[in-house]
Amino acid sequence: MKRGVFALGLLSATALGVESAYAQIEEIIVTARKRAESLQEIPLAITAFTAADIERAGIARIEDIAKLTPSLVFDQGFSAQDTRPTIRGLPATRGRPPIGVLIDGVDVSTEAVSTAGGGTLLNLRLLDVERIEVVKGPQSALYGRVAFGGAINYITKTSGPEFESKVSGTVASHGTYEIAGSASGPVAGEKLGLRGYAAYSRADGYYENTVSGKNLGGYESAQGTLTALATPSDAFRLVASVSYSENDTEQQPYLQISSADNSSVTVPLPSSVAGRRIGNFTIPASIRGPAPGELKPNRTVQVSLDPRTLRDYPGAALDTVLGRVHAEYDVGVATIESTTAYLHAKSTVYQDIDGYGAKPVAVTLPAPGGIGEPLPSTFEFFTDGWTQQVSEDFRISHLEGDGLRWMVGGLFWQEKATQTNRSFAILLTAPGASAGLNNVLANNPAITSTGESRNTEHKSLYGILEYDVTSQFAVGVEARQYWEDFVYGFPTSQIGTGVGATPLRTTPGAPGPKGLPLSEDYFAPKVFAEFKASDQALLYASVAKGVKPGGISTVGVFNRLADNIYSPEKLWNYELGAKTTWLDGKAILNPAAFYMDYKDKQVSTLVVDPTAASGFRGVVSNAGGARVYGLELDATFAVTDQLRLNAAYTHLDAKYTQFDVFTRTASSIAYAGECEIVEVGTGTQSTQCKLNLAGNKLERAPKHAASGSIAFTQPLENGMELIAEVAAQYQSKRYFDEFNGQWFGGFANVDLRLTLESKAWSITGYVDNVFDERTIKSGFAQGDFFAFFTSPGSRSNVLLSPEPVRGGVRASYRF
């Protein structure tokens, strides 16, 4: 870590200390505001990556974008498809992810059915991308229902006026290789152009599962795209594209902290409540759980095998089809645009979820015995899901020129998501029993699967109005009115307990209603002002509201329907920023300061229920408020024609201002380190532990994050260039959850690249994570299944193994 901090310091010192001959910084054009604009002339905080940036840095995943965008943090949950990107510290713990993912302005975001706070995405690894724009802060009028905290917009390539083709390939460590090819050009003069793109990539996993002896975490991906661009006249333009992709990801290389291998410790509860009976529940004096502090698990990957095959679980698969048609017609006084899109995705997740396993051996329990995992607990996650999205965005606009600029539009977006869930857990009291074998028995005949569904229909009207008060000063307002209707098919969950070595098959709960409706409407405005102080300085200020829609939780439902309905989250974002150019266009410095007032976080808590066996039941609701003070800095310095520096920094002071949790959950009390006994309601079950979390930091939000790079270009003969690059990233510690008792450690990463290129070809050798930084960066908490009977209320953490040092060669050739 010290080496990475030194590298960042070197980048900063170089940026401040060099004052030699200068070179011009190239202009970047973005379309974040539904029009083509220079990045330096747009009153928004945006990080943009050009096609050259994407190719040279090998950007293929959201994780790669996050490395180079300090305000963007990427977390992964239960599987490779459970993705949780966040911007500016807003948590992704319940409901939809707090940022949107769009492709050419089409919302392809979704919310996972069975996991809280996550969402499945398209196979973004192999998109034919021209540019990536990361827009920070709520942008509801621009991007619709998904842009609560910001958005990532991928802009894909279309055909140009001349024929061109390209092939590229990568060979790297850990069995990694990729091949891609594209061809585009005019077909009917200048009136029609076609572009085709295809790519295939694969990689072995980085870590060996000691149970199977095979590596985990590898992937295999394939994608093809066909795009047509028709321009029958100067006034009319139509783009149509269709793409198909397949992505298979192996079982994740989990690391677990639990009682199974004694990697957890005894965590005491506050003496004021230890041993006290609250309602009909006695608070234990201690639990088993991960040690408070930085999460440092045993580094051995030891994941269960599929008890049916005695091989590693398959992992996750995602197949998608995306079609899009965009038409625009310039009628002189305005431009009419229509974007129609269709997405169909099929996903399967089939993997171990408790994160711990043992080699199968001959076992005697349960009779008659057989080959099984000699553990008293097993938990597998097995779902098949289908998602269909249809959208139509129609707008009329006049966004060019001086004076008055405007846009009005409407969006229809519909998603139908269904899932078959065959996940199952078995918990036994006999230590020598084989839960793996019991799992096979419990699945013969097969577990009754649960049908889960969520249909979402969104309609919204939006508008943008901008006015130049003077040649230097402009004001504007943006707004969107939403109407959303949800229809849920409510799931039930299954868990198998046991007596001795015999599993007790639980009867699935009564099927929930298949057509449960829920409706919401909300309004999200934004007001901004910009002042062009000079040709080199733009100052701006904005106030914007973000809304993250409510809904019904479909995660592991054991309780009643009414307890799973939650309301929208809301925030107000107040922002001041500047876009400044210095030294006759050789240096850029873009600062932004913001304050976010964040309310109604979607959380899980407990309420008293005298009719329940435990005396309480879980509820998904809205609780607490938070505030975030933030500062962002982006800088580029073209020191000479040969030397270029980039640096970015984000500071977040993200803290809960009001957050009371009522609970009898022993692990929550233990990690919060407090419990105030309170009476909620009346009767014998009215006593609760009140945890006051006001003042705690927002989970998963680093206080400091930075990235920087140095690129040196050496001209060679015959028009060739040699480009050497050093890139470094730093992130301070992040709290694991709202209790702030555990955290992911701070880390620094350094990547190296050396590129030799000409106009026709390029070859890049690279090493990522040069110093083999192994800090844990993602994971989730769950009950300790291995201590279910011996230490009720205990907790385990399942953590994702970080990627080690890796290197390879990328090459491309343009015809």
Side-chain angles (χ1 to χ4, degrees):
M1 178 173 169
K2 291 181 179 178
R3 292 168 178 165
V5 174
F6 171 78
L8 280 174
L10 176 62
L11 298 181
S12 301
T14 306
L16 294 173
V18 179
E19 297 182 1
S20 54
Y22 301 122
Q24 196 80 22
I25 296 176
E26 64 273 16
E27 184 181 39
I28 298 177
I29 302 299
V30 297
T31 55
R33 295 201 302 169
K34 311 295 186 183
R35 71 201 92 164
E37 298 175 287
S38 170
L39 181 64
Q40 287 302 103
E41 296 179 355
I42 183 170
L44 289 175
I46 300 176
T47 298
F49 301 93
T50 65
D53 297 330
I54 295 166
E55 180 175 353
R56 197 160 58 239
I59 297 174
R61 308 166 299 172
I62 288 186
E63 300 99 300
D64 301 326
I65 303 171
K67 283 174 59 177
L68 304 175
T69 311
S71 296
L72 173 64
V73 173
F74 178 84
D75 271 300
Q76 186 172 305
F78 285 85
S79 72
Q81 295 175 16
D82 182 15
T83 52
R84 299 162 184 259
T86 64
I87 291 178
R88 292 182 171 179
L90 296 176
T93 51
R94 275 284 173 184
R96 307 175 196 178
I99 69 172
V101 175
L102 303 98
I103 297 178
D104 296 315
V106 175
D107 172 14
V108 296
S109 305
T110 189
E111 177 187 351
V113 175
S114 295
T115 55
T120 56
L121 301 177
L122 287 177
N123 178 11
L124 302 176
R125 182 182 300 277
L126 300 176
L127 286 175
D128 189 16
V129 178
E130 174 68 29
R131 188 174 65 258
I132 302 171
E133 299 173 0
V134 181
V135 187
K136 305 159 194 174
Q139 308 294 336
S140 296
L142 293 174
Y143 296 109
R145 62 193 295 276
V146 295
F148 176 60
I152 304 174
N153 191 20
Y154 294 80
I155 294 88
T156 60
K157 295 179 180 179
T158 57
S159 175
E162 298 180 357
F163 179 82
E164 62 178 18
S165 60
K166 176 183 175 181
V167 292
S168 62
T170 298
V171 177
S173 57
H174 303 285
T176 301
Y177 65 83
E178 179 177 320
I179 186 169
S182 64
S184 67
V187 175
E190 298 181 355
K191 305 298 183 182
L192 178 65
L194 294 178
R195 179 178 180 84
Y197 173 81
Y200 172 81
S201 70
R202 71 168 305 280
D204 295 333
Y206 298 121
Y207 292 94
E208 178 187 341
N209 182 10
T210 57
V211 178
S212 67
K214 305 292 185 180
N215 280 14
L216 298 181
Y219 64 85
E220 185 174 17
S221 296
Q223 175 162 314
T225 300
L226 180 63
T227 304
L229 170 62
T231 53
S233 69
D234 292 340
F236 183 75
R237 182 176 185 268
L238 184 143
V239 180
S241 65
V242 61
S243 65
Y244 174 76
S245 70
E246 296 181 354
N247 189 50
D248 297 319
T249 306
E250 295 173 349
Q251 162 80 49
Q252 297 300 288
Y254 287 140
L255 305 171
Q256 193 199 56
I257 304 177
S258 77
S259 62
D261 61 352
N262 291 318
S263 57
S264 61
V265 300
T266 299
V267 183
L269 275 73
S271 58
S272 60
V273 293
R276 180 167 177 174
R277 191 168 183 83
I278 302 179
N280 64 350
F281 184 75
T282 300
I283 302 294
S286 65
I287 61 164
R288 296 284 295 180
E294 182 179 346
L295 294 167
K296 294 183 177 180
N298 184 323
R299 295 291 177 164
T300 301
V301 176
Q302 194 171 342
V303 178
S304 293
L305 305 183
D306 182 347
R308 302 160 190 79
T309 64
L310 300 184
R311 298 177 181 175
D312 287 316
Y313 279 94
L318 177 65
D319 300 336
T320 60
V321 176
L322 174 64
R324 170 182 173 268
V325 177
H326 175 79
E328 56 184 80
Y329 182 48
D330 186 352
V331 295
V333 296
T335 300
I336 302 173
E337 296 179 82
S338 170
T339 302
T340 305
Y342 172 82
L343 167 69
H344 183 273
K346 181 184 184 302
S347 63
T348 298
V349 180
Y350 185 25
Q351 65 179 48
D352 176 55
I353 203 67
D354 58 47
Y356 184 82
K359 289 182 180 294
V361 296
V363 294
T364 58
L365 297 176
I371 303 298
E373 185 180 47
L375 293 173
S377 172
T378 189
F379 184 13
E380 69 178 27
F381 193 75
F382 189 7
T383 61
D384 285 306
W386 296 264
T387 301
Q388 176 182 286
Q389 295 177 356
V390 178
S391 64
E392 167 61 34
D393 190 353
F394 181 83
R395 59 181 180 264
I396 304 174
S397 65
H398 174 73
L399 295 173
E400 305 296 332
D402 300 327
L404 184 67
R405 295 174 296 277
W406 53 270
M407 172 190 289
V408 292
L411 171 66
F412 173 82
W413 187 94
Q414 184 183 64
E415 178 186 74
K416 295 182 178 180
T418 60
Q419 180 172 273
T420 299
N421 192 341
R422 294 186 291 276
S423 301
F424 199 84
I426 295 179
L427 311 171
L428 303 175
T429 59
S434 171
L437 181 59
N438 270 311
N439 201 358
V440 175
L441 298 177
N443 280 277
N444 189 17
I447 295 173
T448 303
S449 61
T450 62
E452 307 166 359
S453 65
R454 181 187 61 246
N455 296 340
T456 305
E457 186 173 289
H458 166 98
K459 303 182 187 72
S460 62
L461 297 176
Y462 61 92
I464 300 173
L465 185 65
E466 302 172 7
Y467 180 67
D468 295 326
V469 181
T470 70
S471 59
Q472 293 178 283
F473 181 63
V475 294
V477 60
E478 304 171 358
R480 186 179 292 253
Q481 174 67 46
Y482 300 71
W483 297 272
E484 289 200 342
D485 296 309
F486 307 91
V487 179
Y488 290 83
F490 210 61
T492 59
S493 295
Q494 301 178 72
I495 187 168
T497 59
V499 177
T502 303
L504 302 178
R505 294 192 56 171
T506 58
T507 303
K514 296 298 183 183
L516 177 76
L518 182 69
S519 297
E520 291 186 338
D521 64 272
Y522 40 93
F523 181 67
K526 177 180 179 180
V527 178
F528 70 90
E530 59 179 282
F531 177 67
K532 190 74 171 177
S534 68
D535 290 340
Q536 290 76 40
L538 173 70
L539 310 178
Y540 66 90
S542 64
V543 178
K545 182 181 180 180
V547 180
K548 178 179 170 182
I552 300 178
S553 174
T554 54
V555 179
V557 178
F558 296 97
N559 48 348
R560 66 188 191 185
L561 179 63
D563 292 337
N564 284 5
I565 299 175
Y566 54 88
S567 300
E569 295 182 4
K570 305 180 185 68
L571 71 84
W572 281 96
N573 183 75
Y574 306 87
E575 187 164 343
L576 295 172
K579 301 289 185 72
T580 65
T581 305
W582 304 80
L583 303 172
D584 296 326
K586 289 86 177 176
I588 288 174
L589 177 63
N590 296 337
F594 57 89
Y595 166 74
M596 290 193 293
D597 183 12
Y598 171 46
K599 296 185 182 300
D600 298 323
K601 180 189 176 188
Q602 296 161 1
V603 300
S604 297
T605 187
L606 297 178
V607 297
V608 175
D609 184 359
T611 65
S614 63
F616 59 93
R617 65 181 188 274
V619 174
V620 179
S621 62
N622 297 77
R627 57 102 178 120
V628 181
Y629 291 104
L631 175 67
E632 296 168 338
L633 296 172
D634 287 283
T636 302
F637 187 12
V639 182
T640 70
D641 286 336
Q642 297 172 266
L643 181 62
R644 176 170 173 151
L645 310 175
N646 286 283
Y649 169 74
T650 296
H651 171 80
L652 294 174
D653 182 3
K655 183 182 297 185
Y656 287 107
T657 55
Q658 181 182 0
F659 195 0
D660 292 333
V661 175
F662 297 93
T663 184
R664 294 175 189 164
T665 303
S667 62
S668 298
I669 299 169
Y671 287 106
E674 64 161 305
C675 172
E676 177 188 353
I677 305 297
V678 296
E679 297 292 326
V680 181
T682 59
T684 59
Q685 304 296 331
S686 62
T687 52
Q688 293 279 328
C689 269
K690 175 184 174 183
L691 311 180
N692 180 7
L693 303 184
N696 281 13
K697 299 293 186 179
L698 263 65
E699 63 272 25
R700 312 293 175 108
K703 186 174 183 180
H704 304 285
S707 65
S709 66
I710 299 176
F712 182 80
T713 302
Q714 177 62 53
L716 303 174
E717 295 181 354
N718 301 319
M720 294 190 297
E721 293 181 332
L722 183 66
I723 306 169
E725 296 176 270
V726 180
Q729 305 89 37
Y730 169 73
Q731 188 179 98
S732 63
K733 76 176 185 181
R734 298 184 299 138
Y735 286 105
F736 183 71
D737 56 27
E738 65 269 29
F739 302 115
N740 287 189
Q742 299 169 310
W743 57 83
F744 299 110
F747 68 91
N749 177 75
V750 179
D751 301 330
L752 300 178
R753 294 188 291 271
L754 185 64
T755 301
L756 179 64
E757 68 178 16
S758 69
K759 291 183 178 180
W761 53 265
S762 71
I763 301 175
T764 299
Y766 69 93
V767 180
D768 290 340
N769 191 11
V770 173
F771 298 114
D772 202 18
E773 168 60 55
R774 299 290 187 101
T775 302
I776 299 296
K777 303 176 182 67
S778 282
F780 56 91
Q782 60 186 9
D784 188 341
F785 300 103
F786 301 98
F788 187 80
F789 296 104
T790 58
S791 181
S794 292
R795 189 172 96 171
S796 68
N797 286 352
V798 180
L799 308 171
L800 191 65
S801 302
E803 294 182 352
V805 59
R806 54 207 182 277
V809 176
R810 291 189 286 265
S812 66
Y813 184 79
R814 299 173 180 83
F815 297 93

